Amino acid sequence: MTPGSANEFEKASFAWQIQQWQQQFREWIELKISQNQINFPKVRLASGLLDLLWPLFKVLSWLILAVVIIWLGWQLWLIFRPYIYSLDFELDKLRDKSTHHSELTVVDWWRRSQKFYRQGNYAEAARCLYMAMLQKLHDTHLIPHQSSRTDGEYRQLTESLPQHSAYRVLLNTHENLCFGNADISLETFEDCQQAYREIERNQ
């Protein structure tokens, strides 16, 4: 960057513009005082008072600017906060999809479910219970993982198990969640949680 372009950048900066406005305001006040005051000692007195108050005016100017910037920042946060949380949720889903089933234990999936439950995200909480169920089936060698298996296939394979109705609750909820765009309510999640606990108790 050449010296000339650096000077132009400095003059174009917001801080430089504020200083220019302050200087123009001061000159305008001095002009008004000199126009309206005929008595010369009074002019000097007013000018001296202006010199005393000028630092205070500069501090107040920067304070007001800081308050405005903080307020604008807070408003932007309120506007974009839902999108940030939504992005975080989508990133969590991508991380889950990129993580192989065997890398997360049943306890890991249960803890994730409880985390999403506390956040009020019942759909993701129910999905984590579903994943915990699949991991438990794999760990107990009842139904080993196969990525090609559908919920319908799992439903058929679990029909012979003692808690087949509990498996059906979790499988149906997951199927509705994936293909029916179902809105998972707190009541639905509690049904899934009860079904999962029943599976745990009987395995």
Side-chain angles (χ1 to χ4, degrees), residues 34-102:
S34 64
Q35 286 176 348
N36 295 329
Q37 298 290 340
I38 299 173
N39 194 331
F40 203 71
K42 288 185 179 179
V43 172
R44 276 203 300 253
L45 181 62
S47 179
L49 184 61
L50 183 62
D51 288 338
L52 288 174
L53 294 178
W54 186 248
L56 179 61
F57 172 75
K58 289 176 70 175
V59 170
L60 286 174
S61 298
W62 285 110
L63 185 61
I64 290 170
L65 179 64
V67 169
V68 169
I69 290 173
I70 291 170
W71 182 82
L72 286 174
W74 176 248
Q75 295 303 312
L76 287 173
W77 165 250
L78 291 178
I79 291 170
F80 289 106
R81 180 173 55 181
Y83 301 102
I84 293 170
Y85 287 158
S86 176
L87 178 62
D88 184 49
F89 169 63
E90 292 300 326
L91 288 174
D92 274 348
K93 287 178 69 176
L94 287 174
R95 281 193 291 268
D96 288 347
K97 288 179 181 177
S98 65
T99 303
H100 192 270
H101 294 310
S102 61

Side-chain angles (χ1 to χ4, degrees), residues 10 12 14 24 44 49-51 53 61 64 67 87 91 94 107 112 115 117 119 138-139 145 175 185 193 202:
E10 182 182 353
F14 190 67
Q24 290 170 6
R44 276 203 300 253
L49 184 61
L50 183 62
D51 288 338
L53 294 178
S61 298
I64 290 170
V67 169
L87 178 62
L91 288 174
L94 287 174
V107 174
R112 287 185 178 211
K115 181 188 80 169
Y117 161 70
Q119 293 174 356
H138 177 79
D139 292 347
H145 283 311
E175 200 168 47
S185 64
Q193 190 165 241
N202 291 282

Side-chain angles (χ1 to χ4, degrees), residues 158-159 161-170 195 198:
T158 55
E159 280 299 316
L161 298 177
Q163 304 85 31
H164 60 88
S165 59
Y167 287 109
R168 195 181 307 124
V169 169
L170 289 163
E198 183 180 339

Side-chain angles (χ1 to χ4, degrees), residues 114-166:
Q114 295 307 296
K115 181 188 80 169
F116 286 115
Y117 161 70
R118 287 191 295 271
Q119 293 174 356
N121 189 344
Y122 305 125
E124 191 63 14
R127 191 185 77 84
C128 289
L129 287 178
Y130 166 85
M131 298 301 293
M133 175 197 71
L134 295 187
Q135 188 63 47
K136 184 173 281 293
L137 287 170
H138 177 79
D139 292 347
T140 55
H141 307 291
L142 290 172
I143 306 175
H145 283 311
Q146 283 186 16
S147 58
S148 61
R149 278 203 179 106
T150 65
D151 288 334
E153 290 174 304
Y154 273 111
R155 195 179 293 110
Q156 290 177 353
L157 291 168
T158 55
E159 280 299 316
S160 59
L161 298 177
Q163 304 85 31
H164 60 88
S165 59

